[in-house]
Amino acid sequence: MTERKGVRSTDRFRKKREAILDASTVILNQHGVKGLTLAVAAAAVDLSTTSVTYYFKRKDDLAAACIMRGLDWLLAAADTAVAEPSPPERLHKLLELYLERLRLAAVGLAPPLPALSDIRALNNPRRTEVVEAFVKLFRKVRGLFESPDFVWLGRGRRSARTHMLLEQMFWAAAWLRKYDPEDYVRIRERMYDILVGGLAVDGAAWEPTAIPLADLAAHEGPEMSRETFLLAATRLINTRGYRGASVDKISAELNVTKGSFYHHNDAKDDLVVACFDRTFDVMRRVQRLAMGLDGDQWMRISSAAAALAEYQLSDYGPLLRTSALSALPSEIREEQVAHSNRVSDRFASMISDGIAEGSIRPVDPFIAAQMLNATLNAGAELGFWVKGVTQKTAPDVFARPALMGIFVR
């Protein structure tokens, strides 16, 4: 009898803990680590804050548990995928498992997967634990590319393609919301087709026209400009997350006073918005310059992708990662997502024109544009995953496989 009571008690503990994690993951995805407090989580499951501390002592413990549960699922999915006999079959299996999980979550049959964009907002030791788990996932997914047929694909290029693939998956969780869950299987096949086949038609060459990066940078005056502040803030937010990029740290990076900081920026949220505005402005300028080039749409879109990949690792870069969106208030976040969608829609128009003229393969232009956007945004972290990659090699290492095909030599 005592043993049965112990089992029931353990089962109740597990179910309540899972209910807290389910509700907290929704909050985490909507408001980031900053918005996931023990009080908010407690209210979501109709408990007192004190009751939640029985399961999770601190806010970071709760946020890390949500993320670790998602990473555990992703690692299990990757384990299943790498058991397939060939890289293309492994890729298909991973997309199949991931999109099905997103579908089940969308119809309420599974808890949502956590957004992994706010890992840097955690404090140590939780941040270190979560980062180590993510690196383990990264290495497992990199195993998709290991095959005697792909000995030409060195470790650095495998890492670049792994980074690109994971970003495609994580960003899909955002744009898939515009589709009905019953369409996810169709979307999965279109994603797979784009990843494997790229956008280029048979016989197309990777010969992007150079777009001078100086044409993309804001011109600075004799004094320290707002552009300088935005670049410093972008680098710190990308590296340390919204919480880690404090006003003090940004000011110290530039060797200026906090008063000087506030002379250029009213508040931290305003600064993040300004960083996003700068990012989207650069991307729109690249698109305009690319659309003005002589040649077909394949040449124009490959030139735009190459320029942005190079820009990310240049002295002018990087661009702000979309991971910063989770820290913004919902109304501001929606506005910035709308900006991102307009950039993506312009890529979709270029792809549609290329399909019509025959220079780009028949693909779903809107899905392809979202995937291209995700790849180019992910280029900000390419240097972390691929040691030794340079500004000049980034287009070939990162943009080329996104547009020519992830398994193309």
Side-chain angles (χ1 to χ4, degrees):
M1 178 66 72
T2 302
E3 183 177 343
R4 284 200 297 273
K5 285 183 179 179
V7 170
R8 286 198 297 270
S9 177
T10 301
D11 191 51
R12 283 196 300 272
F13 179 91
R14 182 187 61 79
K15 288 182 177 179
K16 182 61 69 174
R17 185 179 187 276
E18 290 297 305
I20 295 171
L21 288 175
D22 290 350
S24 298
T25 299
V26 173
I27 298 167
L28 178 71
N29 289 349
Q30 293 176 346
H31 305 290
V33 170
K34 185 177 73 168
L36 177 59
T37 65
L38 295 180
V40 171
V45 289
D46 199 24
L47 288 175
S48 68
T49 304
T50 302
S51 297
V52 172
T53 60
Y54 179 65
Y55 300 88
F56 304 99
K57 297 297 184 186
R58 299 175 182 82
K59 167 184 171 174
D60 268 24
D61 296 334
L62 175 57
C66 291
I67 296 172
M68 288 295 289
R69 187 175 67 160
L71 286 171
D72 287 343
W73 185 90
L74 287 165
L75 186 59
D79 270 328
T80 300
V82 297
E84 295 292 318
S86 69
E89 289 170 293
R90 295 168 195 163
L91 172 61
H92 193 276
K93 175 59 70 174
L94 184 60
L95 290 177
E96 176 187 327
L97 294 171
Y98 184 69
L99 269 291
E100 175 60 11
R101 175 57 188 268
L102 293 183
R103 187 192 70 81
L104 291 174
V107 298
L109 296 178
L113 288 173
L116 304 179
S117 56
D118 219 15
I119 290 176
R120 292 183 181 88
L122 295 170
N123 292 312
N124 280 325
R126 295 290 172 250
R127 180 172 58 202
T128 298
E129 294 169 1
V130 171
V131 168
E132 288 175 351
F134 185 85
V135 170
K136 183 178 180 181
L137 169 67
F138 187 94
R139 289 170 176 162
K140 178 62 68 173
V141 174
R142 190 168 59 196
L144 293 174
F145 298 96
E146 293 178 2
S147 167
D149 295 332
F150 290 87
V151 292
W152 54 268
L153 199 56
R155 180 186 180 89
R157 291 181 181 267
R158 289 201 309 273
S159 293
R161 294 168 198 227
T162 300
H163 178 44
M164 187 258 284
L165 172 59
L166 287 172
E167 289 297 322
Q168 299 290 1
M169 292 169 56
F170 299 152
W171 184 240
W175 58 259
L176 271 170
R177 296 171 192 156
K178 65 185 289 185
Y179 295 93
D180 288 329
E182 64 190 60
D183 292 327
Y184 283 16
V185 171
R186 175 181 60 85
I187 292 166
R188 177 197 74 206
E189 293 306 309
R190 294 187 175 189
M191 289 180 66
Y192 176 78
D193 174 62
I194 293 165
L195 283 167
V196 174
L199 303 185
V201 296
D202 288 342
W206 175 255
E207 297 174 346
T209 298
I211 295 177
L213 299 189
D215 292 348
L216 308 178
H219 297 292
E220 299 192 2
E223 298 180 359
M224 184 175 293
S225 71
R226 183 169 173 77
E227 171 73 8
T228 305
F229 277 89
L230 297 181
L231 179 55
T234 295
R235 289 172 175 169
L236 278 172
I237 294 169
N238 283 353
T239 303
R240 303 183 186 181
Y242 178 88
R243 181 193 288 179
S246 66
V247 173
D248 286 332
K249 288 175 182 174
I250 296 169
S251 300
E253 181 88 359
L254 295 169
N255 194 28
V256 298
T257 65
K258 289 175 67 173
S260 178
F261 174 93
Y262 284 113
H263 172 71
H264 290 269
N265 309 277
D266 295 329
K268 194 170 174 182
D269 281 350
D270 294 333
L271 177 64
V272 176
V273 169
C275 289
F276 271 121
D277 288 343
R278 170 183 173 271
T279 290
F280 297 136
D281 184 56
V282 168
M283 296 187 77
R284 283 191 293 266
R285 273 183 275 166
V286 168
Q287 290 174 326
R288 286 195 295 269
L289 289 168
M291 291 169 74
L293 294 172
D294 293 331
D296 56 26
Q297 292 294 343
W298 161 248
M299 186 278 295
R300 291 171 183 157
I301 206 159
S302 60
S303 299
L308 286 167
E310 188 176 347
Y311 184 93
Q312 291 278 33
L313 297 183
S314 73
D315 291 339
Y316 304 110
L319 302 174
L320 189 62
R321 295 285 278 119
T322 52
S323 57
L325 285 169
S326 61
L328 292 172
S330 58
E331 65 277 7
I332 300 177
R333 181 168 66 245
E334 290 171 7
E335 181 182 349
Q336 297 308 312
V337 169
H339 282 301
S340 176
N341 285 337
R342 283 196 287 273
V343 171
S344 180
D345 288 346
R346 180 175 284 177
F347 277 134
S349 295
M350 295 171 71
I351 293 169
S352 294
D353 290 345
I355 294 170
E357 72 182 11
S359 67
I360 291 178
R361 284 197 318 122
V363 297
D364 188 311
F366 293 101
I367 293 175
Q370 289 286 1
M371 294 173 70
L372 177 58
N373 232 6
T375 297
L376 297 176
N377 188 263
E381 294 182 348
L382 183 61
F384 176 82
W385 295 107
V386 184
K387 304 305 179 186
V389 67
T390 66
Q391 170 187 332
K392 293 299 182 184
T393 59
D396 186 63
V397 169
F398 202 55
R400 185 176 182 273
L403 294 180
M404 300 288 288
I406 201 168
F407 297 122
V408 172
R409 188 165 188 169

